Amino acid sequence: MPARRRVPPTEGHDALQVWRAAPDAAPRTVVATAVRYTLEELAARSPGRSVEVRVPPFGAVQCIAGPRHTRGTPPNVIETDARTWLDLVVGARTWDDAKQGGTVRASGQRADLADRLPLFP
């Protein structure tokens, strides 16, 4: 079953464009909408429940086909901040650079988004 969208795609796309134009000046509500929209887009493009991607405090999704968890902390978790996430989504930063720089924390064998990002180059 595809992930349920909570952010209308046009609203999310608009928020992402506002953020792209001025990443350091975008209002928190715009950042929140852009993060939620792009997380939903990741889940739609890579459906599944084997990896949880977290961008606190704005949202989290489960994605990527494979074994799924049912309780507790999932075995494959990716966590990052909003700026790093949006940089990854638009291709302003690579997965490897963010991981080596410590702004992405990934645990578990399947916790790798290198071949799924950027979403909106």
Side-chain angles (χ1 to χ4, degrees):
M1 172 152 68
R4 189 179 78 185
R5 290 212 182 250
R6 295 182 177 179
V7 177
T10 54
E11 186 180 320
H13 183 73
D14 290 347
L16 186 58
Q17 294 310 313
V18 169
W19 177 84
R20 265 189 203 218
D24 295 324
R28 182 177 167 85
T29 55
V30 168
V31 173
T33 300
V35 167
R36 290 179 185 129
Y37 166 66
T38 55
L39 285 170
E40 290 173 1
E41 187 65 24
L42 174 67
R45 292 185 191 189
S46 299
R49 294 183 158 210
S50 69
V51 177
E52 185 165 292
V53 180
R54 301 173 181 168
V55 184
F58 301 117
V61 294
Q62 291 180 356
C63 59
I64 305 175
R68 68 184 198 124
H69 70 282
T70 55
R71 291 197 280 183
T73 301
N76 301 290
V77 177
I78 295 167
E79 188 167 324
T80 189
D81 61 280
R83 175 62 186 260
T84 300
W85 172 249
L86 293 174
D87 280 346
L88 289 166
V89 163
V90 301
R93 184 177 230 185
T94 68
W95 175 259
D96 291 335
D97 287 344
K99 201 167 171 203
Q100 288 175 3
T103 57
V104 166
R105 290 161 305 286
S107 63
Q109 290 180 310
R110 303 175 68 84
D112 187 340
L113 298 178
D115 61 342
R116 290 173 167 81
L117 296 171
L119 295 173
F120 300 98

